C-alpha cells in the first residue's frame, strides 16, 4: 500500500481547502426545497418478492449510477419518481467517472438532489484517495453529503487485496475525517452484506446506505439503522438506458426535506 509523508499530505490538503478544491467547476447548486415526487413509476427486470410491502412502504425513491448508464434524460427520470441520485465521481487515487459532471448538472437542473460517491480502493492509501476526491468534486452548496462506497472488487485487474478488518476501518476513518473537514459533512457509508459483516462496519458509526436485494435490511443487517436502502440493481426507469440501481430513503417526505436541510453541503 502506497504511503505519503504526513507533512506532504497535510500541505496538499490545506492547499486544496484554501482554493475550494475541485477540477470540475461551475456545477449548479441544488434546490433543497424542491418538491418530492411520491409516486415511483419504476419497473424491474428481476423483481424480488418481498413477502410484504418492501420498498413500496417508502415514499422517497432515488437512484445511483455511473458511466455504465451513459447519458440520462433527467427530466423524464424526475417525472418517473426519482428524487435523488448518488453519482459516481471517483475511484481509488486516479480514476474519474467521465459522466460525473454531466450527471450532476443534469440531475440538479431537473430538480433531483445530487450527491457524489467515491469507490474505495484497497491498494491506495486513504490520504491520496481523499485528495483525489477533493480535486474532482466541488464543494457545492445544497448537494447531498459525499458517500464512500465500501465493497470488495474481485474483478479488479490491479488489486484484489483484502486487508484485515482493523486496517479497513482505520484507513476508511482517515478518508472520512479528511472528507468531513473539507465538505463540512461526514460521508455516508455505502456497503454490502459480506463487507459489512467481515469488517464490522457498524463500528465506524455514522449514517449508512445498505444494499439488500433479496431480503429487507432488517433481515440482512439485524439491528442496523440505515438512511438509504439499495433494493435492486436491475431497475427500469424512464429516461435511463439499461438497468439501474434503485434506492429508498428511510422516512417520510417531511423527514426527507428535514434531512436534506440538515445534511446539505
Amino acid at each position: 500500500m502506497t504511503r505519503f509523508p504526513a507533512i506532504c499530505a497535510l500541505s496538499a490538503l490545506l492547499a486544496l481547502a484554501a482554493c475550494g478544491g475541485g477540477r470540475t467547476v461551475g456545477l449548479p447548486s441544488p434546490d433543497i426545497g424542491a418538491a418530492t415526487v411520491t409516486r415511483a413509476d419504476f419497473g424491474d427486470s428481476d423483481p424480488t418478492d418481498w413477502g410484504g410491502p418492501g420498498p413500496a412502504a417508502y415514499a422517497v425513491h432515488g437512484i445511483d449510477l455511473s458511466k455504465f448508464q451513459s447519458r440520462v434524460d433527467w427530466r423524464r427520470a424526475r417525472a418517473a419518481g426519482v428524487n435523488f441520485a448518488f453519482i459516481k465521481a471517483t475511484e481509488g487515487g486516479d480514476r474519474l467517472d467521465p459522466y460525473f459532471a454531466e450527471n450532476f448538472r443534469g440531475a440538479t437542473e431537473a430538480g433531483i438532489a445530487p450527491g457524489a460517491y467515491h469507490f474505495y480502493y484497497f491498494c491506495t492509501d486513504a490520504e491520496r484517495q481523499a485528495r483525489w476526491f477533493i480535486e474532482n468534486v466541488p464543494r457545492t452548496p445544497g448537494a447531498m453529503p459525499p458517500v464512500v462506497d465500501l465493497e470488495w472488487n474481485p474483478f479488479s485487474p490491479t488489486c484484489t487485496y483484502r486487508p484485515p478488518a482493523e486496517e479497513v476501518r482505520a484507513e476508511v476513518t482517515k478518508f472520512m475525517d479528511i472528507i468531513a473537514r473539507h465538505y463540512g459533512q461526514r460521508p455516508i457509508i455505502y456497503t454490502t452484506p459480506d463487507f459489512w459483516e467481515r469488517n464490522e462496519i457498524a463500528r465506524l458509526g455514522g449514517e449508512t446506505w445498505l444494499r439488500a436485494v433479496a431480503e429487507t435490511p432488517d433481515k440482512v443487517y439485524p439491528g442496523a439503522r440505515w438512511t438509504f436502502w439499495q433494493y435492486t440493481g436491475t431497475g427500469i426507469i424512464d429516461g435511463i438506458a439499461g438497468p439501474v440501481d434503485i434506492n429508498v430513503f428511510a422516512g417520510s417526505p417531511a423527514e426527507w426535506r428535514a434531512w436534506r436541510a440538515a445534511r446539505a453541503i
Side-chain angles (χ1 to χ4, degrees):
M1 185 174 289
T2 306
R3 300 290 179 186
F4 287 81
I7 189 168
C8 293
L10 178 60
S11 297
L13 288 167
L14 289 175
L16 284 169
C19 68
R23 294 178 181 176
T24 307
V25 297
L27 294 180
S29 295
D31 177 10
I32 295 177
T36 305
V37 181
T38 57
R39 181 183 61 82
D41 187 16
F42 304 154
D44 197 328
S45 63
D46 187 19
T48 296
D49 180 1
W50 301 103
Y58 300 92
V60 183
H61 295 242
I63 62 171
D64 63 277
L65 79 171
S66 66
K67 66 180 181 181
F68 297 109
Q69 279 71 41
S70 189
R71 288 187 164 81
V72 174
D73 186 326
W74 287 99
R75 297 194 182 281
R76 286 168 59 192
R78 167 72 166 163
V82 174
N83 289 285
F84 60 86
F86 289 113
I87 300 163
K88 185 174 183 180
T90 53
E91 179 174 337
D94 59 2
R95 299 188 69 178
L96 172 66
D97 190 288
Y99 285 94
F100 168 65
E102 179 180 330
N103 281 331
F104 193 101
R105 179 179 296 278
T108 301
E109 291 176 347
I112 295 170
Y117 77 84
H118 173 79
F119 189 94
Y120 201 88
Y121 195 66
F122 293 95
C123 293
T124 303
D125 68 88
E127 292 88 349
R128 180 178 174 184
Q129 295 192 63
R131 288 200 303 272
W132 181 243
F133 186 84
I134 290 170
E135 286 176 17
N136 289 286
V137 179
R139 194 164 43 199
T140 305
M144 294 192 295
V147 172
V148 57
D149 180 342
L150 302 177
E151 55 186 301
W152 301 127
N153 184 7
F155 306 109
S156 171
T158 58
C159 178
T160 56
Y161 176 52
R162 296 190 175 193
E166 296 80 3
E167 182 179 336
V168 167
R169 294 194 303 273
E171 289 297 298
V172 170
T173 296
K174 290 179 189 176
F175 175 89
M176 293 179 66
D177 287 347
I178 294 168
I179 296 299
R181 286 195 295 270
H182 182 80
Y183 294 94
Q185 291 286 2
R186 194 151 189 83
I188 298 168
I189 298 169
Y190 168 88
T191 196
T192 59
D194 59 333
F195 198 95
W196 170 272
E197 182 176 1
R198 170 174 168 168
N199 297 290
E200 299 180 75
I201 296 303
R203 296 176 62 178
L204 290 175
E207 285 194 303
T208 56
W209 166 20
L210 303 178
R211 176 177 175 83
V213 298
E215 295 182 294
T216 53
D218 61 305
K219 296 178 181 177
V220 181
Y221 306 86
R225 297 185 63 182
W226 53 272
T227 301
F228 295 93
W229 165 25
Q230 184 186 80
Y231 63 86
T232 184
T234 53
I236 301 171
I237 297 178
D238 189 35
I240 303 175
V244 65
D245 296 334
I246 310 180
N247 310 267
V248 294
F249 169 76
S252 66
E255 290 169 324
W256 165 243
R257 291 189 292 272
W259 182 87
R260 285 209 64 199
R263 291 287 271 139
I265 293 175

